[in-house]
Structures are given as structure tokens and as C-alpha cells.
């Protein structure tokens, strides 16, 4: 079962993300809970996306049969990153924040469902067992680094990144 470990690991992250999203959705106003849970989600999903791109997506992009799926998912990662930046900069107590959060939640759930139901099965068929073992090693090495990096950085808009 080691050959599917990369996909099980990614799905385990997705399950944690689903839980955090549900918990954030239950918060009210500009509470400590909302801020704490949102920051935990932001850091976790940012690190997950970067590590996923460095491991699985990098390999998929090099494979013509898997490239379109990977490009689509990379674009969706960027969309979620934009939502996170926008939410971070909004008034956490406004009804607009919760409305925007729910839009982001819907888009992210769509993204991870699509990965799990379509992309992962395709990639699993197209990758050797050795490559899958290599990918889990890359993911496990990169994620802690990316998590530390995400925790240190505040999200910034396109203009600020310049």
C-alpha cells in the first residue's frame, strides 16, 4: 500500500481542511476562535498547496497525459490563495466576510473533491511505484518548511508583492 501513500497523505490533509472549514463556518463575528481557526486553515492550506505543487504537480506537469489536470489544479490553488488574502484583509466581523468565506469554502471543497475523485486516480495509474515513493518523500520534506514559511508571512495582495 506504500505506493498509494502520497494520495492517502494528501487526502488526510484534505480531511483536516474540511474540518477546519466547518469549524470556521460555525464561528460568529470577529472572535478569537474565528481568527485562530482561519489562520490555522490559511497556514495549513498554503503549505499543503506549495508542497503538493513541488511533489505531485511537478511530476504531473512533466507528463503530457496528466499536464492539463495539474495546470487546472495549480490555477485553482491561485484562486484559493487570492480568496485567503482577501479574507485576511477584510473585517472579520462583517457579514461580507462570512459570505466571502463561504464562497471560498465552496470553491475549495470543489477543488479537493475534484482532486480526490478525478486527478488522484488518473495520476496513480500514470505513476510508477518508485515515483510515488519519491513523491511522498518530497511532500513530507517540504510541508514542514512551507508551513513555517506560511506562518511567518502575512498574506499580501498582488500590488504589495509587486
Amino acid at each position: 500500500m506504500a505506493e498509494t501513500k502520497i494520495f492517502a497523505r494528501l487526502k488526510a490533509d484534505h480531511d483536516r481542511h474540511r474540518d477546519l472549514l466547518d469549524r470556521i463556518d460555525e464561528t460568529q463575528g470577529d472572535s478569537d476562535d474565528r481568527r485562530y481557526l482561519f489562520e490555522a486553515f490559511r497556514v495549513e492550506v498554503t503549505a499543503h498547496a506549495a508542497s503538493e505543487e513541488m511533489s505531485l504537480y511537478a511530476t504531473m506537469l512533466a507528463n503530457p497525459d496528466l499536464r492539463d489536470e495539474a495546470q487546472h489544479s495549480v490555477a485553482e490553488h491561485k484562486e484559493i490563495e487570492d480568496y485567503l488574502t482577501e479574507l485576511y484583509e477584510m473585517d472579520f466581523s462583517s457579514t461580507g466576510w462570512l459570505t466571502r468565506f463561504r464562497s471560498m469554502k465552496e470553491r475549495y471543497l470543489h477543488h479537493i473533491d475534484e482532486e480526490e475523485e478525478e486527478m488522484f486516480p488518473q495520476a496513480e495509474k500514470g505513476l510508477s511505484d518508485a515515483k510515488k515513493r519519491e513523491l511522498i518523500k518530497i511532500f513530507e520534506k517540504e510541508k514542514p518548511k512551507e508551513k513555517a514559511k506560511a506562518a511567518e508571512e502575512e498574506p499580501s495582495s498582488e500590488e504589495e508583492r509587486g
Side-chain angles (χ1 to χ4, degrees), residues 111-139:
H111 168 73
I112 60 178
D113 288 345
E114 196 171 63
E115 280 186 333
E116 292 171 6
E117 294 166 16
E118 298 170 26
M119 191 173 87
F120 292 175
Q122 278 185 332
E124 190 163 18
K125 286 180 206 162
L127 300 173
S128 69
D129 290 349
K131 186 53 128 173
K132 291 173 199 169
R133 285 191 294 275
E134 179 186 332
L135 295 180
I136 190 65
K137 286 179 186 167
I138 293 168
F139 185 86

Side-chain angles (χ1 to χ4, degrees), residues 27-123:
T27 63
Q28 296 180 354
D30 189 357
S31 64
D32 289 343
D33 272 357
R34 178 175 283 178
R35 285 189 176 275
Y36 173 80
L37 292 168
F38 178 74
E39 181 62 6
F41 176 77
R42 184 190 70 77
V43 167
E44 175 62 30
V45 82
T46 300
H48 171 89
S51 303
E52 188 175 52
E53 289 175 14
M54 284 185 253
S55 58
L56 180 61
Y57 288 8
T59 300
M60 290 177 68
L61 287 167
N63 180 331
D65 295 334
L66 301 173
R67 187 174 298 135
D68 288 346
E69 284 289 327
Q71 288 172 332
H72 174 75
S73 286
V74 168
E76 287 183 343
H77 281 184
K78 174 68 174 106
E79 179 186 5
I80 298 304
E81 180 184 322
D82 291 345
Y83 269 110
L84 292 171
T85 298
E86 185 180 347
L87 286 162
Y88 184 85
E89 294 172 349
M90 288 177 75
D91 176 358
F92 276 54
S93 64
S94 71
T95 56
W97 190 93
L98 193 56
T99 300
R100 197 72 182 141
F101 168 79
R102 287 180 175 153
S103 294
M104 186 269 310
K105 178 182 176 182
E106 183 180 313
R107 291 296 300 141
Y108 187 68
L109 291 174
H110 163 80
H111 168 73
I112 60 178
D113 288 345
E114 196 171 63
E115 280 186 333
E116 292 171 6
E117 294 166 16
E118 298 170 26
M119 191 173 87
F120 292 175
Q122 278 185 332

